């Protein structure tokens, strides 16, 4: 069967047009009309703090990124994923204030200023719709509150092993120390790590670490609703541990210090894991026990990071 020359010509033209469009999208087209969306913003970068300028994207995008230094003596730029943290390039300065990248591909771009604060003007042109915010996502200041007051007094009842007594043991302090057993992270950015400082120099803890256990409050509420408060309080403790599959789901590991005296600890809370307790080795019993939190001081210098917990006794 004979093929029409006109049909063949139309097909070749369509193929060439498609190839040209792919090339424009893949390379950015040197300022071609392939970029259909644009967004711009002024972003302030605090001194000596790595700051997101242009967020990354989960999928491949074709975009052009332009960064203009408006104020400040110098600014180092770094793409997320660079292996060497000591090498940050390119360097923007009043003499060379402009950086432009037409082959970004959706990688997060960060900036760092060694001396003084900086401000940049950023323009992003992109083929796909722009759904992110320049400067990165808003990061919440860390808010912490303390719960379950110990009242300082512990009364031992060796005749009753019910859950009711176990709960009372948890609430009260066997060292007669006023404080709290739980902390709640009231405000945070879900999924973002938080660094806390732990001061346990007067804690008297054994072992080699202090551990954070994060509690799932929704799992606790679910058990109370299923069991009923009265049944829960009077349920035999041993039977509860044997038959219930609930407890393992209620606690999860949250991090640990390098020493029983305290130190830094990094926590990554989510909306299901924002209630926590500190656990250390009790020299008297030889097992892990809940530490008493005697104080918490927020991080005034950097409210986006955690403050300092002071722990003492059980």
């Amino acid at each position: 069967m004979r093929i029409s020359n006109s049909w063949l010509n139309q097909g070749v033209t369509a193929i060439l047009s498609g190839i040209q469009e792919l090339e424009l999208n893949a390379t950015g087209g040197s300022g071609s009309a392939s970029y259909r969306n644009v967004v711009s913003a002024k972003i302030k970068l605090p001194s000596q703090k790595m700051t997101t300028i242009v967020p990354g994207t989960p999928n491949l995008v074709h975009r052009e990124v332009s960064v203009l230094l408006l104020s400040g003596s110098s600014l180092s730029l770094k793409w997320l994923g660079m292996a060497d943290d000591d090498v940050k390039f390119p360097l923007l300065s009043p003499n060379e204030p402009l950086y432009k990248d037409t082959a970004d591909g959706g990688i997060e771009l960060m900036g760092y200023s060694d001396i003084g604060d900086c401000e940049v003007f950023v323009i992003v042109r992109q083929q796909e719709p722009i759904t992110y915010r320049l400067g990165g996502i808003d990061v919440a200041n860390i808010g912490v509150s303390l719960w379950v007051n110990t009242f300082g007094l512990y009364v031992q009842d060796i005749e009753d092993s019910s859950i009711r007594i176990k709960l009372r043991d948890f609430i009260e302090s066997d060292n007669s120390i006023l404080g709290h057993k739980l902390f709640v992270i009231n405000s945070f950015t879900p999924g973002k790590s938080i660094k806390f400082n732990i001061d346990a120099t007067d804690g008297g803890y054994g072992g080699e670490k202090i551990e954070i256990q994060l509690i799932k409050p929704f799992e606790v509420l679910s058990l109370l609703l299923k069991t009923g408060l009265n049944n829960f309080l009077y349920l035999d403790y041993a039977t509860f541990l044997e038959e219930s599959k609930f407890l393992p789901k209620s606690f999860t590991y949250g991090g640990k210090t390098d020493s029983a005296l305290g130190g830094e600890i990094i926590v990554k809370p989510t909306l299901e894991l924002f209630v926590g307790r500190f656990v250390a080795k009790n020299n008297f019993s030889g097992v892990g026990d809940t530490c008493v939190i005697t104080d918490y001081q927020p991080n005034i210098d950097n409210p986006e990071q955690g403050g300092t917990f002071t722990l003492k006794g059980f």
Side-chain angles (χ1 to χ4, degrees), residues 47-102:
S47 177
Q48 298 185 352
K49 180 181 179 182
M50 189 67 73
T51 304
T52 296
I53 297 176
V54 181
T57 58
N59 301 315
L60 175 67
V61 298
H62 306 300
R63 68 184 182 183
E64 174 190 85
V65 176
S66 301
V67 182
L68 177 65
L69 182 65
L70 296 179
S71 65
S73 58
S74 65
L75 177 67
S76 297
L77 299 178
K78 175 185 176 182
W79 292 109
L80 181 66
M82 286 178 56
D84 194 342
D85 289 334
D86 295 329
V87 179
K88 303 178 184 71
F89 62 91
L91 181 68
L92 300 184
S93 66
N95 293 330
E96 296 184 5
L98 179 63
Y99 169 76
K100 190 172 184 178
D101 190 328
T102 57

Side-chain angles (χ1 to χ4, degrees), residues 150 152-157 168-170 172-176:
T150 63
L153 180 63
Y154 172 73
V155 179
Q156 186 176 12
D157 186 345
R168 194 175 72 185
D169 291 354
F170 175 79
E172 294 167 351
S173 168
D174 52 4
N175 299 128
S176 297

Side-chain angles (χ1 to χ4, degrees), residues 1-297:
M1 179 177 177
R2 189 170 180 268
I3 300 177
S4 167
N5 287 336
S6 63
W7 181 90
L8 182 61
N9 291 336
Q10 291 175 7
V12 172
T13 301
I15 292 173
L16 291 175
S17 176
I19 292 175
Q20 184 180 23
E21 183 178 354
L22 287 174
E23 289 177 344
L24 287 175
N25 287 338
T27 62
S30 299
S32 72
S34 63
Y35 298 119
R36 298 168 182 257
N37 303 278
V38 63
V39 66
S40 63
K42 289 183 179 180
I43 301 172
K44 294 183 178 180
L45 294 89
S47 177
Q48 298 185 352
K49 180 181 179 182
M50 189 67 73
T51 304
T52 296
I53 297 176
V54 181
T57 58
N59 301 315
L60 175 67
V61 298
H62 306 300
R63 68 184 182 183
E64 174 190 85
V65 176
S66 301
V67 182
L68 177 65
L69 182 65
L70 296 179
S71 65
S73 58
S74 65
L75 177 67
S76 297
L77 299 178
K78 175 185 176 182
W79 292 109
L80 181 66
M82 286 178 56
D84 194 342
D85 289 334
D86 295 329
V87 179
K88 303 178 184 71
F89 62 91
L91 181 68
L92 300 184
S93 66
N95 293 330
E96 296 184 5
L98 179 63
Y99 169 76
K100 190 172 184 178
D101 190 328
T102 57
D104 163 70
I107 308 172
E108 180 178 350
L109 178 64
M110 298 168 286
Y112 184 86
S113 173
D114 288 305
I115 304 175
D117 298 344
C118 291
E119 186 176 29
V120 296
F121 183 68
V122 184
I123 301 175
V124 175
R125 298 196 305 152
Q126 184 172 299
Q127 170 65 16
E128 296 80 6
I130 299 174
T131 58
Y132 47 82
R133 174 181 175 271
L134 295 183
I137 62 173
D138 294 324
V139 179
N141 290 343
I142 304 302
V144 172
S145 61
L146 305 181
W147 287 70
V148 188
N149 194 302
T150 63
F151 301 107
L153 180 63
Y154 172 73
V155 179
Q156 186 176 12
D157 186 345
I158 60 175
E159 297 179 358
D160 194 341
S161 61
S162 68
I163 282 287
R164 183 174 40 177
I165 298 303
K166 295 298 179 181
L167 289 176
R168 194 175 72 185
D169 291 354
F170 175 79
I171 293 173
E172 294 167 351
S173 168
D174 52 4
N175 299 128
S176 297
I177 296 175
L178 289 173
H180 297 81
K181 292 293 187 76
L182 297 181
F183 66 90
V184 176
I185 307 177
N186 299 316
S187 59
F188 60 97
T189 302
K192 183 178 176 63
S193 296
I194 305 172
K195 182 186 294 183
F196 289 106
N197 185 57
I198 313 302
D199 181 3
T201 53
D202 296 327
Y205 303 132
E208 299 178 352
K209 65 180 181 179
I210 299 171
E211 182 177 307
I212 281 183
Q213 288 184 350
L214 294 176
I215 303 169
K216 301 178 182 179
F218 301 113
E219 294 285 354
V220 177
L221 180 60
S222 176
L223 178 71
L224 290 176
L225 293 175
K226 290 178 181 179
T227 308
L229 183 59
N230 288 334
N231 291 334
F232 176 72
L233 292 179
Y234 281 94
L235 187 65
D236 178 78
Y237 187 62
T239 303
F240 179 76
L241 287 178
E242 283 181 13
E243 297 182 357
S244 175
K245 305 299 182 183
F246 164 77
L247 280 182
K249 298 179 181 179
S250 302
F251 297 88
T252 187
Y253 172 77
K256 66 178 182 179
T257 62
D258 292 330
S259 167
L261 297 176
E264 292 183 348
I265 192 168
I266 295 178
V267 182
K268 195 172 185 179
T270 67
L271 294 178
E272 290 186 338
L273 297 170
F274 56 87
V275 180
R277 66 168 180 159
F278 293 97
V279 178
K281 182 180 179 181
N282 189 325
N283 288 324
F284 179 76
S285 64
V287 298
D289 203 347
T290 304
C291 306
V292 175
I293 306 169
T294 59
D295 186 46
Y296 175 77
Q297 293 296 324

